[in-house]
């Protein structure tokens, strides 16, 4: 650094003179006065509408957004406000035209914000990537279509347009110093009281940090937010004083505030999901679980950083978490520490300059993660229908389906036959959403969260006044991926079924399906589909667990699909077990256990691995896997 | 000056280093004060030591002549943990590293090696023994070549590009990084044709973006039209044509035909039709 020039600048500043800012330039490997080599090519923004390995200009991104909204029936745009420089700020709604889900619930809403900090170029590319994925895959019969049909997603691709354009006007230049570069490519704040020139130094540091301009913790942390207009974290003159933040509030209205259940503000870098906790433990718990889902999508290369309730820095995630009691995140896109992760020199602030060659991959990874989080929050999983077909697959024997009627659902019997023993059937279970993760169209584990065959299926009930179970071997079944699914790939599980000779339809006073599974986000089934779940006050309402608790956010084993219904209470408490339950023994051909009601009986039925177990506990008890 | 030399001796000894978080005010103090006065400032001496190492490495990266002692000193820093960080403005509990001595030392070594290889390349060029295969297939030499190209005159770069076409096209034509370095300095239309025909990568988009600034109107339009035939480049080529050359008859005719090409239709319509009202 030129020490003499620095001293002159300090002197000039202290005498209130108009100073001309020293400029620095990022290079690949060129060295010299005022040059900062990064060790990889410094990306300049590119005029391409289509996604490329590189960063697009604001103009190209904007044209791309326009083009998608004009060419798609499920993408609409709305102006939500203006920037300091009077540029229009746009939000895009990605959703079908109706406001109810395919399973009869009222659609929830999600808001994703991009480009709040100008220099964080990863952000507009990432959120545009989400839009492009949903645009390209609108009819994929899988996650994209599921989200479009069942969620109202609002995306603001670039909030701080003035600042973003300023960084793109100077893709290699910065001022101040090489160690703490400001303005030009390293502008963070909006352009309040700032001109677009780097040469005039007096205003280069001005502007408001839009991520400090928010209630409820506006200006409450003097370490991380400042009243000084030249501070990197200047909080502005009051909460939401900036037109860009007012536009963000408008975007929440567009999404419908009372329907909001997810917010993410998209930043870079440090490769982590931050989330502020609130005083609501249910909300905090769900925010943590959904963070796990988003991290799992990329094998946990992203970290997780919750922060304690009761304080903050004036960030937008705090505003959304506390105002709406919804999971709200600050996503910091890669890299974790610096450009050295891509072979660069690791100079100060180079994490804001992702090499162009990493952009397409980054876009894809952040897309998969965000769509997974949205998937978890769109709906909890519900077993919507069960059908039993004969072996030929041509004759329907039994068919039950939950049908939505205004605020609730009714179980409708569409076909009522009887099941016979020693007869081959096919059981079709259909859920309200895709239930499994697909990688290149093939069933795959969702890392550390779910496995394709995480499903246990039984027929259970009362026969001759005693509780009975007929365990089906789920390993013989399959999630439908290429055909025979209901609406979405993996929303249907098909299982061959053969009941043993001991099975007698007529002897049952109660016969129901007992399904223990979860969606690929790890959420267990809603145990009472009659009451339609919704997101209310920071938790799921009507998402009943094993005991019928409608506000535990846990779900449980589904037992509501009754082929023979005795009208008994699904959640009736169990009689005291006698004797205590012992773990199932290894398969044996012998009948074991004592006589009468006290005996525990294990019967192996060879054939297709169906087990008949006379259990000592009531059918009403939850038996989670 | 005496003080500085004293510090350097000290620094050679103390190479293990520590990670220290400092405030923005302290960092400003380091940046604004002269080196001599820094010695007397109230800052922790470990902080000022790291800052001096940082400044010296910064100077050494630019030096033309490097002594053995300096080389030894830089090598001694490769595994130091000396780091200065400031609070990360994005989050209360994170730091932003602003000085990382080991990484900086490693960068200085890489830059020195690169320059030394570039000197070899310069000699080979002068003696007519430049071997493109050897350069292109060797990652470090390739980087040195690309750097060397930024240091020579346009006239020489044109000769080098011609040499590449005559002597090394087999290797150069399939390497987008080398093609783009040669094109940036020589603006060779022949090499551009190779680049547009390859599978595009980050290098291709960067070179294409600069075509309107680097070529005259007629040449630029011709190159953009060729590039538009490679599908991943089509949108960029068309948008650049619409943005810079919508007044030109040849460009207009091309855009007209693109509007009737099912593959290019929507990108062309978006670029031409919406360009007017989307000027930032
Ligand atoms: Zn940020």
């Amino acid at each position: 650094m030129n020490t003499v020039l620095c001293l002159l600048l300090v002197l000039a500043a202290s005498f209130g003179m108009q100073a001309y800012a020293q400029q620095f330039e990022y290079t690949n490997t060129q060295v010299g006065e005022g040059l900062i080599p990064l060790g990889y090519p410094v990306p300049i923004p590119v005029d391409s509408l289509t996604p490329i390995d590189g960063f697009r200009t604001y103009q190209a991104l904007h044209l791309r957004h326009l083009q998608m909204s004009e060419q798609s029936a499920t993408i609409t745009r709305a102006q939500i406000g203006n920037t300091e420089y009077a540029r229009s700020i746009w939000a895009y709604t990605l959703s079908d035209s109706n406001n109810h889900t395919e399973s009869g619930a009222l659609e929830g809403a999600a808001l994703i914000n991009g480009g709040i900090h100008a220099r964080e170029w990863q952000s507009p590319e990432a959120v545009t990537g989400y839009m492009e994925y949903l645009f390209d895959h609108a009819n994929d019969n899988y996650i994209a279509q599921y989200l479009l049909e069942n969620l109202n997603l609002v995306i603001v691709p670039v909030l701080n347009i003035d600042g973003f354009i300023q960084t793109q006007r100077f893709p290699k230049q910065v001022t101040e110093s090489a160690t703490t570069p400001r303005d030009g490519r390293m502008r963070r704040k909006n352009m309040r009281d700032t001109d677009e020139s780097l040469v005039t130094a007096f205003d280069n540091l001005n502007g408001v940090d839009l991520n400090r301009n928010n209630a409820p913790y506006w200006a409450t942390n003097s370490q991380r937010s400042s009243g000084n207009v030249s501070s990197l974290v200047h909080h502005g003159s009051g909460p939401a004083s900036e037109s860009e933040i007012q536009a963000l509030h408008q975007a929440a209205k567009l999404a419908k505030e009372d329907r909001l259940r997810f917010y993410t503000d998209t930043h870079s870098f440090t490769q982590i999901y931050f989330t502020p906790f609130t005083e609501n433990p249910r909300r905090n718990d769900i925010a943590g679980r959904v963070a796990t889902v988003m991290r799992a999508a990329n094998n946990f290369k992203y970290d997780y950083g919750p922060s304690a309730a009761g304080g903050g820095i004036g960030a937008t995630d705090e505003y959304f978490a506390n105002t709406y009691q919804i999971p709200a995140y600050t996503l910091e896109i890669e890299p974790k520490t610096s450009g050295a992760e891509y072979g660069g020199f690791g100079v100060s602030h180079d994490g804001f300059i992702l090499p162009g060659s990493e952009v397409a991959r980054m876009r894809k990874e952040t897309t998969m993660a965000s769509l997974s989080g949205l998937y978890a929050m769109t709906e909890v999983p519900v077993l919507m229908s069960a059908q039993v077909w004969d072996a030929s697959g041509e004759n329907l024997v039994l068919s039950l389906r939950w049908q939505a009627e205004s605020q609730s659902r009714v179980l409708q019997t569409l076909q009522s036959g009887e099941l016979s023993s020693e007869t081959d059937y096919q059981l079709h279970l259909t859920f309200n959403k895709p239930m499994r993760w697909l990688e290149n169209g093939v069933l795959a584990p969702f890392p550390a969260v779910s496995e394709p065959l995480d499903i246990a299926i039984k027929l259970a009930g009362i026969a001759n006044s005693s509780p009975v179970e007929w365990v089906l071997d789920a390993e013989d079944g399959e999630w439908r991926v290429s055909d025979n699914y209901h609406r979405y790939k993996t929303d249907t599980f098909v299982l061959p079924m053969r009941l043993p000779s001991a099975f007698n339809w007529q002897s049952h006073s109660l016969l129901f399906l007992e399904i223990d599974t979860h969606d690929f986000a790890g959420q267990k089934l809603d145990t009472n589909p009659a009451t339609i779940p919704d997101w209310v006050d920071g938790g799921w309402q009507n998402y009943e667990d094993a005991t019928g608790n409608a506000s535990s956010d846990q779900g449980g084993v589904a037992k509501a699909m009754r082929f023979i219904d005795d009208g008994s209470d699904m959640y009736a408490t169990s009689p005291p077990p006698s004797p205590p339950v012992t773990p199932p023994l290894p398969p044996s051909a012998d009948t074991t256990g004592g006589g009468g009601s006290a005996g525990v009986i294990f019967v192996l039925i060879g054939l297709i691995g169906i087990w008949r177990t006379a259990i000592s506990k009531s059918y009403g008890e939850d038996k989670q896997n | 000056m005496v003080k500085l030399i004293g510090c350097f001796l000290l620094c050679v000894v103390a190479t293990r280093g520590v990670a220290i978080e400092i405030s923005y005010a302290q960092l400003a103090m380091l940046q604004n004060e002269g080196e001599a006065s820094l010695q007397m400032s109230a800052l922790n001496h470990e902080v000022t030591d790291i800052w001096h190492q940082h400044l010296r490495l910064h100077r050494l990266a630019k030096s033309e002549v490097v002594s053995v002692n300096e080389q030894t000193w830089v090598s001694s820093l490769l595994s130091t943990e000396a780091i200065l960080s400031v609070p990360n403005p994005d989050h209360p509990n994170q730091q932003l590293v602003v000085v990382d001595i080991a990484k900086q030392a490693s960068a200085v070594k890489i830059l020195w090696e690169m320059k030394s290889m570039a000197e070899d390349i310069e000699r080979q060029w002068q003696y007519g023994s430049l071997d493109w295969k050897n350069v292109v297939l060797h990652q470090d030499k390739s980087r040195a070549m690309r750097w060397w190209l930024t240091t020579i005159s346009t006239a020489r770069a044109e000769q080098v590009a011609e040499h590449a076409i005559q002597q090394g096209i087999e290797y150069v034509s399939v390497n987008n990084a080398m093609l783009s370095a040669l094109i940036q300095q020589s603006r060779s239309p022949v090499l551009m044709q190779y680049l547009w025909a390859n599978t595009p990568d980050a290098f291709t988009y960067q070179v294409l973006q600069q075509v309107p600034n680097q070529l005259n109107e007629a040449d630029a339009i011709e190159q953009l039209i060729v590039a538009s035939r490679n599908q991943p480049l089509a949108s960029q080529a068309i948008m650049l044509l619409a943005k810079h050359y919508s007044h030109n008859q040849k460009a207009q005719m091309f855009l007209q035909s693109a509007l009737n090409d099912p593959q290019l239709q929507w990108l062309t319509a978006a670029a031409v039709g919406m360009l007017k009202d989307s000027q930032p």
Side-chain angles (χ1 to χ4, degrees):
Chain A
M1 169 176 329
N2 188 326
T3 317
V4 178
L5 184 57
C6 246
L7 277 171
L8 281 174
L9 282 172
V10 171
L11 279 174
S14 60
F15 286 102
M17 288 158 54
Q18 165 117 348
Y20 290 97
Q22 187 184 4
Q23 288 192 26
F24 300 85
E25 185 175 331
Y26 291 112
T27 69
N28 180 350
T29 48
Q30 284 168 278
V31 289
E33 193 55 41
L35 300 183
I36 309 170
L38 298 180
Y40 48 79
V42 189
I44 56 168
V46 164
D47 282 310
S48 173
L49 272 70
T50 47
I52 51 150
D53 227 348
F55 296 97
R56 286 168 279 187
T57 58
Y58 175 69
Q59 190 177 41
L61 286 169
H62 179 56
L63 284 176
R64 175 64 163 162
H65 304 143
L66 281 174
Q67 176 253 324
M68 289 191 285
S69 68
E70 298 214 345
Q71 281 194 294
S72 166
T74 50
I75 305 179
T76 51
R77 69 176 181 135
Q79 188 181 345
I80 50 171
N82 292 295
T83 66
E84 181 69 19
Y85 271 54
R87 293 186 173 99
S88 306
I89 305 175
W90 297 96
Y92 297 81
T93 303
L94 295 95
S95 184
D96 61 6
S97 54
N98 65 52
N99 62 0
H100 54 80
T101 71
E102 296 300 316
S103 67
L106 208 54
E107 276 179 3
L111 176 59
I112 294 179
N113 185 42
I116 193 171
H117 283 151
R119 63 189 174 185
E120 300 166 8
W121 286 12
Q122 288 92 318
S123 168
E125 279 296 338
V127 299
T128 299
Y130 310 165
M131 292 174 66
E132 287 172 326
Y133 188 91
L134 293 170
F135 175 73
D136 289 338
H137 297 82
N139 301 310
D140 67 353
N141 294 109
Y142 192 51
I143 292 181
Q145 185 176 338
Y146 171 70
L147 293 177
L148 290 168
E149 290 180 343
N150 299 285
L151 178 73
N152 199 31
L153 170 61
V154 172
I155 291 182
V156 181
V158 187
L159 188 71
N160 181 7
I161 302 170
D162 296 345
F164 187 49
I165 288 173
Q166 175 76 348
T167 59
Q168 295 206 322
R169 184 177 288 116
F170 301 103
K172 297 181 178 180
Q173 287 79 35
V174 289
T175 64
E176 271 301 278
S177 82
T179 324
T180 49
R182 296 280 299 271
D183 209 5
R185 178 64 180 84
M186 285 297 152
R187 169 160 286 272
R188 165 185 169 94
K189 304 190 289 180
N190 76 355
M191 293 286 281
R192 177 179 282 279
D193 301 326
T194 315
D195 66 24
E196 293 178 336
S197 159
L198 292 190
V199 178
T200 49
F202 69 98
D203 63 343
N204 283 353
L205 305 189
N206 289 355
V208 173
D209 182 348
L210 298 174
N211 208 29
R212 294 294 182 278
N213 192 228
N214 302 274
Y217 298 115
W218 179 82
T220 59
N221 184 333
S222 61
Q223 299 296 305
R224 302 284 172 162
S225 133
S226 165
N228 180 349
V229 294
S230 66
S231 164
L232 191 61
V233 288
H234 174 46
H235 51 52
S237 58
S241 61
E242 302 312 291
S243 58
E244 291 89 354
I245 292 302
Q246 291 158 21
L248 185 61
H249 294 179
Q250 208 51 44
K253 289 193 172 70
L254 181 69
K256 295 195 185 72
E257 292 168 281
D258 59 342
R259 303 304 305 154
L260 266 185
R261 54 179 66 165
F262 179 96
Y263 172 77
T264 294
D265 196 16
T266 316
H267 295 244
S268 64
F269 61 97
T270 50
Q271 208 165 293
I272 187 168
Y273 288 90
F274 289 123
T275 194
F277 276 4
T278 69
E279 307 294 345
N280 183 334
R282 287 175 62 192
R283 190 220 68 97
N284 297 346
D285 183 48
I286 292 169
R289 280 193 264 158
V290 174
T292 301
V293 171
M294 294 191 285
R295 295 169 63 220
N298 292 303
N299 248 317
F300 298 90
K301 74 179 253 187
Y302 280 75
D303 290 330
Y304 173 55
S307 51
I313 54 176
T316 67
D317 63 352
E318 295 158 6
Y319 173 81
F320 280 90
N322 287 283
T323 307
Y324 302 110
Q325 292 301 322
I326 59 173
Y329 306 92
T330 291
L331 162 59
E332 298 282 359
I333 298 174
E334 64 180 285
K336 207 183 258 296
T337 53
S338 78
E341 286 156 48
Y342 317 106
F345 295 153
V347 307
S348 180
H349 288 63
D350 65 357
F352 293 114
I353 308 180
L354 190 72
S357 55
E358 307 294 331
V359 175
R361 179 192 48 75
M362 175 281 295
R363 214 189 276 120
K364 192 174 161 205
E365 289 178 359
T366 50
T367 297
M368 286 302 113
S370 294
L371 297 191
S372 301
L374 293 170
Y375 161 87
M377 289 303 293
T378 296
E379 281 177 309
V380 297
V382 183
L383 175 63
M384 291 299 290
S385 79
Q387 294 179 330
V388 180
W389 294 79
D390 71 2
S392 71
E394 282 172 14
N395 301 305
L396 192 55
V397 182
L398 284 166
S399 176
L400 296 178
R401 177 167 182 82
W402 287 100
Q403 199 64 46
E405 289 181 359
S406 69
Q407 300 305 307
S408 61
R409 297 193 193 98
V410 178
L411 187 62
Q412 292 190 337
T413 303
L414 305 174
Q415 181 71 30
S416 59
E418 293 185 1
L419 297 177
S420 307
S421 64
E422 312 245 294
T423 308
D424 291 328
Y425 297 106
Q426 276 209 333
L427 176 64
H428 290 220
L429 304 173
T430 299
F431 301 84
N432 60 326
K433 63 195 296 191
M435 293 293 281
R436 288 297 174 266
W437 184 242
L438 295 177
E439 236 166 64
N440 304 319
V442 178
L443 282 169
F446 194 63
V449 177
S450 77
E451 294 285 331
L453 276 176
D454 284 347
I455 181 167
I457 304 172
K458 294 174 190 169
L459 273 174
I462 308 265
N464 301 320
S465 307
S466 294
V468 287
E469 281 191 354
W470 315 88
V471 180
L472 311 185
D473 190 346
E475 292 208 6
D476 293 333
E478 62 171 342
W479 292 101
R480 302 303 304 174
V481 174
S482 48
D483 58 5
N484 285 345
Y485 47 79
H486 175 66
R487 189 172 191 89
Y488 309 113
K489 292 170 183 174
T490 76
D491 71 357
T492 300
F493 190 77
V494 176
L495 178 71
M497 180 170 90
R498 186 181 169 94
L499 294 161
S501 58
F503 177 85
N504 178 359
W505 178 272
Q506 297 297 337
S507 68
H508 287 79
S509 57
L510 177 68
L511 185 66
F512 59 89
L513 279 166
E514 194 176 310
I515 312 293
D516 188 1
T517 190
H518 46 67
D519 64 11
F520 78 68
Q523 303 179 110
K524 283 185 166 273
L525 298 174
D526 176 17
T527 64
N528 185 8
T531 58
I532 298 179
D534 198 7
W535 179 267
V536 179
D537 295 333
W540 291 106
Q541 185 186 55
N542 292 334
Y543 178 26
E544 286 86 358
D545 66 10
T547 65
N549 183 345
S551 50
S552 71
D553 309 311
Q554 295 300 320
V557 178
K559 299 177 184 180
M561 204 62 92
R562 292 182 170 189
F563 293 127
I564 299 172
D565 190 356
D566 63 358
S568 59
D569 179 2
M570 201 164 45
Y571 301 111
T573 44
S574 329
S578 53
V581 182
T582 49
L585 296 171
S588 156
D590 297 333
T591 302
T592 58
S597 62
V600 179
I601 305 163
F602 296 98
V603 181
L604 172 71
I605 312 295
L607 270 174
I608 56 164
I610 296 183
W611 288 73
R612 176 185 192 268
T613 310
I615 52 164
S616 56
K617 291 175 110 182
S618 126
Y619 59 86
E621 193 191 354
D622 179 31
K623 288 171 78 71
Q624 299 185 7
N625 277 0
Chain B
M1 200 58 201
V2 174
K3 264 182 191 158
L4 285 180
I5 289 166
C7 166
F8 291 154
L9 290 174
L10 190 73
C11 295
V12 173
V13 180
T15 51
R16 186 120 52 88
V18 283
I20 303 172
E21 184 178 339
I22 57 174
S23 67
Y24 280 95
Q26 288 173 317
L27 183 59
M29 204 186 293
L30 289 168
Q31 288 171 333
N32 291 334
E33 291 196 25
E35 287 174 7
S37 59
L38 207 53
Q39 293 302 300
M40 289 166 279
S41 77
L43 284 162
N44 175 325
H45 77 90
E46 284 176 316
V47 172
T48 52
D49 283 353
I50 293 173
W51 188 252
H52 280 299
Q53 290 175 343
H54 166 66
L55 292 181
R56 188 181 178 201
L57 285 167
H58 185 69
R59 275 194 303 271
L60 284 173
K62 294 183 284 188
S63 335
E64 295 297 325
V65 184
V66 186
S67 71
V68 174
N69 276 351
E70 285 166 334
Q71 290 186 36
T72 311
W73 181 70
V74 170
S75 296
S76 77
L77 294 174
L78 289 173
S79 55
T80 176
E81 282 159 22
I83 280 173
L84 294 182
S85 60
V86 292
N88 183 334
D90 259 8
H91 197 266
N93 306 323
Q94 299 274 316
Q95 286 85 42
L96 191 63
V97 173
V98 288
V99 173
D100 182 329
I101 295 298
K103 286 201 175 91
Q104 206 184 340
S106 157
V108 169
K109 284 203 78 150
I110 290 169
L111 288 168
W112 283 347
E113 282 160 18
M114 187 189 74
K115 279 188 210 168
S116 151
M117 284 181 189
E119 281 162 17
D120 289 345
I121 289 170
E122 168 74 40
R123 268 191 297 278
Q124 287 163 18
W125 173 250
Q126 284 180 11
Y127 292 113
S129 60
L130 188 62
D131 176 2
W132 285 98
K133 179 183 177 181
N134 185 20
V135 169
V136 171
L137 298 184
H138 191 294
Q139 209 177 334
D140 294 338
K141 285 181 190 167
S142 172
R143 168 138 83 171
M145 168 61 104
R146 286 181 272 137
W147 178 76
W148 178 67
L149 284 166
T150 66
T151 66
I152 63 178
S153 69
T154 306
R156 271 184 98 193
E158 283 167 0
Q159 291 170 3
V160 176
E162 193 52 38
H163 187 267
I165 293 165
Q166 299 300 328
Q167 309 284 322
I169 198 66
E170 184 185 351
Y171 302 99
V172 170
S173 66
V174 294
N175 187 303
N176 287 357
M178 190 57 72
L179 278 175
S180 44
L182 284 163
I183 291 167
Q184 297 283 26
Q185 301 308 121
S186 72
R187 297 162 196 198
S188 158
V190 177
L191 293 180
M192 282 188 199
Q193 306 273 343
Y194 282 108
L195 186 60
W196 311 146
N198 287 348
T199 301
D201 61 15
F203 289 103
T204 322
Y205 303 110
Q206 296 289 303
V207 176
L208 186 58
Q209 188 67 19
Q210 291 167 72
V211 161
N213 304 330
Q214 295 195 330
L215 301 185
N216 66 48
E217 182 164 317
D219 290 348
I221 290 169
E222 191 175 319
Q223 291 298 338
L224 291 170
I225 289 174
V226 174
S228 75
R229 295 186 192 120
N230 194 344
Q231 190 61 30
L233 299 176
S235 175
Q236 189 184 0
I238 286 168
M239 195 168 161
L240 290 171
L241 279 166
K243 205 167 155 176
H244 296 275
Y245 306 114
S246 58
H247 56 272
N248 179 291
Q249 207 187 345
K250 188 174 175 186
Q252 282 169 8
M253 278 169 61
F254 173 79
L255 293 171
Q256 198 63 48
S257 69
L259 279 170
N260 297 320
D261 179 337
Q263 287 230 293
L264 305 177
Q265 217 158 33
W266 68 258
L267 345 143
T268 313
V272 175
M274 301 174 195
L275 211 51
K276 288 187 266 340
D277 53 28
S278 74
Q279 297 289 357

